[in-house]
Amino acid sequence: MTPLPAPYAWIDQVIASGEAPRTLIEARRRFGVAEAPGQADNPQILAWARELGVEADYVRDEISWCGLFMGVVVERAGWRPVERLLAARSWLRFGQPADRPSLGDILVFWRGSKTGWQGHVGLYVGEDSTAFHVLGGNQGDRVCIARIARNRLLGARRPRWRIAQPRGVRPVRLLAAGKLSENEA
């Protein structure tokens, strides 16, 4: 498994404790997956599209794949992905609204224009005073953690827990380190 950057090593401890939400566990398993360089495609990313039944719409890993990543995370965590899962803003219909984003919640951001159609979706792993720290796909052409400005957030969504919400689902305050992501496409 690809190691996490040092400021996020605590995520593996939360997972090992048994208190992590399943979305975080599944996203962590895919950390480091990257697009193939040039015109080649990563067979793993294309396999996600086949697994989710969207291979007709998703034929190359140069297509924005943050929604595809979220779809495979949610599916393997035991929930049904949203319809039109490749469209990041479609994830605003997943689960239930989360008034206060917390570990493992799905965050949906605008890209380009707040009122436009473009977006980005990823998983909350923490926040600082100016940004959310997001574990997502297609962030610099890979599954990684990026800081995304708080003012770009359209909504936070939480799975509907079947039994009990894991104890690890809570807001996480982190230090502001690294530049802000400006375009996740």
Side-chain angles (χ1 to χ4, degrees), residues 48-67:
W48 296 346
R50 285 190 303 278
E51 177 182 336
L52 296 171
V54 295
E55 68 274 15
D57 296 319
Y58 191 86
V59 294
R60 304 193 64 230
D61 70 11
E62 281 76 26
I63 297 171
S64 292
W65 51 278
C66 61

Side-chain angles (χ1 to χ4, degrees), residues 3-75:
L4 292 165
Y8 302 105
W10 58 270
I11 291 171
D12 287 337
Q13 295 169 346
V14 172
I15 291 171
S17 76
E19 296 182 356
R22 292 188 311 252
T23 50
L24 180 63
I25 294 166
E26 293 299 330
R28 171 62 179 105
R29 287 181 176 148
R30 285 147 193 84
F31 186 85
V33 170
E35 288 183 21
Q39 294 300 312
D41 295 310
N42 182 327
Q44 186 174 11
I45 296 172
L46 296 180
W48 296 346
R50 285 190 303 278
E51 177 182 336
L52 296 171
V54 295
E55 68 274 15
D57 296 319
Y58 191 86
V59 294
R60 304 193 64 230
D61 70 11
E62 281 76 26
I63 297 171
S64 292
W65 51 278
C66 61
L68 178 64
F69 168 76
M70 194 53 54
V72 79
V73 163
V74 165
E75 175 86 15

Side-chain angles (χ1 to χ4, degrees), residues 122-145:
L123 212 63
Y124 175 103
V125 295
E127 62 189 276
D128 60 54
S129 61
T130 59
F132 291 105
H133 297 237
V134 179
L135 172 52
N138 203 36
Q139 297 180 159
D141 296 335
R142 67 183 349 93
V143 176
C144 65
I145 298 172

Side-chain angles (χ1 to χ4, degrees), residues 72-144:
V72 79
V73 163
V74 165
E75 175 86 15
R76 291 188 183 178
W79 285 279
R80 175 167 294 185
V82 296
E83 289 185 35
R84 299 188 60 237
L85 65 93
L86 294 176
R89 291 182 186 224
S90 293
W91 288 93
L92 288 168
R93 294 189 304 271
F94 178 79
Q96 60 193 3
D99 293 333
R100 179 76 171 98
S102 295
L103 190 64
D105 285 349
I106 293 172
L107 302 182
V108 180
F109 299 92
W110 59 269
R111 251 185 344 107
S113 164
K114 188 172 185 174
T115 58
W117 63 271
Q118 293 178 310
H120 182 66
V121 61
L123 212 63
Y124 175 103
V125 295
E127 62 189 276
D128 60 54
S129 61
T130 59
F132 291 105
H133 297 237
V134 179
L135 172 52
N138 203 36
Q139 297 180 159
D141 296 335
R142 67 183 349 93
V143 176
C144 65

